[in-house]
Amino acid sequence: MTTATPAAPATPTPPSAPKGPRGRSGGVGKGRFTGYWLLLPGALWLAVFFVVPLYSLLAASLYDPEGSVLTGYDVSYRFANFTDALAEFWQPLVRSLIYAGIATVICLVLGYVLAYAIAFKAGRWRTLLLVLVIAPFFTSFLVRTLSWKLILGDDGFVVGTLQTLHLMGPDDRLLATPVAVIAGLTYNFLPFMVLPLYASLEKIDPRLIEAAGDLYASPTRGFFKVTVPLSMPGVVAGTLLTFIPAAGDYINAELLGSPNERMVGNVIQNLFTTTGDYATAGALSVVLMVLIVAMVVAYIRKSGTEDLV
């Protein structure tokens, strides 16, 4: 009897290479430009509203100070404009950084408590509380600041209450003082602190906090060892969003401060619009920008969140 030889297994046919949009095997079609077309609107926006104004500011900081609006300015690369601006206006510059720093710390304390309450304790009231946080944005920044001028006025409720409690003398006042300016900065920029903190706290897994308790950590220790480290991205983002605009703000100091304690934003605004000293105003603006960028980079590296840069 003859034994049949088994047939060899069929060799699988390899799949054909995918063809490009133009029919060529492995070819690259027009799709490779899709990402660039999508980036084009954003790139144009940055070019028009960031690169061009930044170049204009740098050029203004290097103007010949002998020019004027009538005779025109020449870019003479006069770097002495920076030293002259610092020598004359270093006090408003330092004052702005101090006011912004104090307001940022106050916003961090108040904002963390509020964001923590909304994220972990609010329950069904969470949405309402978030709406109340952003509700001031529906009102003009100028109107909100003017409201504080009425609240802190000499005949206002706050001063009257403090005088009744003998915490202020009859001739003391809050308006036109650093306290009023810092209060205005804190109020106006508090939502910029609360929202990033809430977004960071809301992402924390509650099981991690429970695990800290299971490991015999007290609520306070668990908060500082688990909650605070996990919320550091929100802390960094909130402090930056608060400090940067507060350092350059001039509305609060203009309406709530005294003429002798202006912030650097008031000085720059006055140089641009009143005296027409574009060279000094541009130089002071560049100095403020460089200082803030240096402080931000150092702060981010110190906090260990370099990925936010």
Side-chain angles (χ1 to χ4, degrees):
M1 182 175 62
T2 304
T3 304
T5 303
T11 303
T13 303
S16 58
K19 296 182 178 182
R22 297 182 180 178
R24 298 194 304 269
S25 177
V28 180
K30 297 181 179 179
R32 63 178 180 176
F33 298 108
T34 302
Y36 297 102
W37 285 111
L38 293 175
L39 291 175
L40 182 60
L44 291 176
W45 178 275
L46 289 176
V48 174
F49 295 103
F50 178 74
V51 177
V52 174
L54 180 61
Y55 170 78
S56 178
L57 177 62
L58 292 175
S61 67
L62 298 174
Y63 278 164
D64 182 358
E66 299 300 327
S68 67
V69 177
L70 298 177
T71 62
Y73 288 91
D74 293 328
V75 181
S76 59
Y77 298 97
R78 189 176 185 275
F79 292 96
N81 290 338
F82 299 103
T83 57
D84 294 343
L86 279 175
E88 186 174 359
F89 300 110
W90 67 271
Q91 289 181 330
L93 181 61
V94 173
R95 186 180 301 118
S96 298
L97 298 178
I98 293 175
Y99 285 1
I102 296 174
T104 301
V105 172
I106 298 175
C107 285
L108 178 59
V109 175
L110 297 178
Y112 204 104
V113 174
L114 180 57
Y116 186 92
I118 296 175
F120 296 113
K121 306 296 182 181
R124 61 177 182 175
W125 302 102
R126 178 180 300 180
T127 303
L128 176 61
L129 291 176
L130 287 175
V131 171
L132 293 178
V133 169
I134 65 175
F137 289 137
F138 294 98
T139 307
S140 169
F141 188 93
L142 182 60
V143 173
R144 299 200 307 267
T145 308
L146 286 173
S147 300
W148 272 93
K149 189 173 183 179
L150 297 176
I151 294 172
L152 301 177
D154 297 338
D155 298 329
F157 171 78
V158 176
V159 173
T161 302
L162 293 176
Q163 290 177 348
T164 302
L165 297 175
H166 301 287
L167 298 177
M168 289 182 60
D171 297 329
D172 295 337
R173 57 184 320 208
L174 290 177
L175 198 61
T177 63
V179 175
V181 177
I182 294 174
L185 292 172
T186 302
Y187 167 75
N188 282 305
F189 295 108
L190 182 60
F192 293 98
M193 180 70 73
V194 174
L195 295 179
L197 284 173
Y198 167 77
S200 184
L201 289 169
E202 196 267 340
K203 294 179 181 179
I204 297 178
D205 191 345
R207 292 175 297 181
L208 297 176
I209 303 176
E210 296 176 359
D214 294 339
L215 295 174
Y216 303 102
S218 64
T220 302
R221 184 175 179 83
F223 174 78
F224 286 104
K225 291 294 185 179
V226 178
T227 305
V228 171
L230 292 177
S231 64
M232 279 305 297
V235 172
V236 173
T239 51
L240 294 182
L241 289 175
T242 302
F243 178 81
I244 294 174
D249 179 76
Y250 67 94
I251 295 295
N252 288 277
E254 182 71 26
L255 298 178
L256 304 178
S258 64
N260 297 326
E261 294 185 353
R262 292 290 187 248
M263 296 175 65
V264 67
N266 304 101
V267 175
I268 295 173
Q269 187 265 349
N270 183 68
L271 290 172
F272 264 118
T273 60
T274 304
T275 63
D277 190 354
Y278 292 171
T280 305
L284 197 57
S285 301
V286 171
V287 169
L288 177 64
M289 179 178 62
V290 171
L291 280 177
I292 290 179
V293 170
M295 294 174 66
V296 167
V297 172
Y299 172 64
I300 291 178
R301 291 183 175 180
K302 184 69 175 179
S303 61
T305 53
E306 291 88 348
D307 54 334
L308 294 177
V309 180

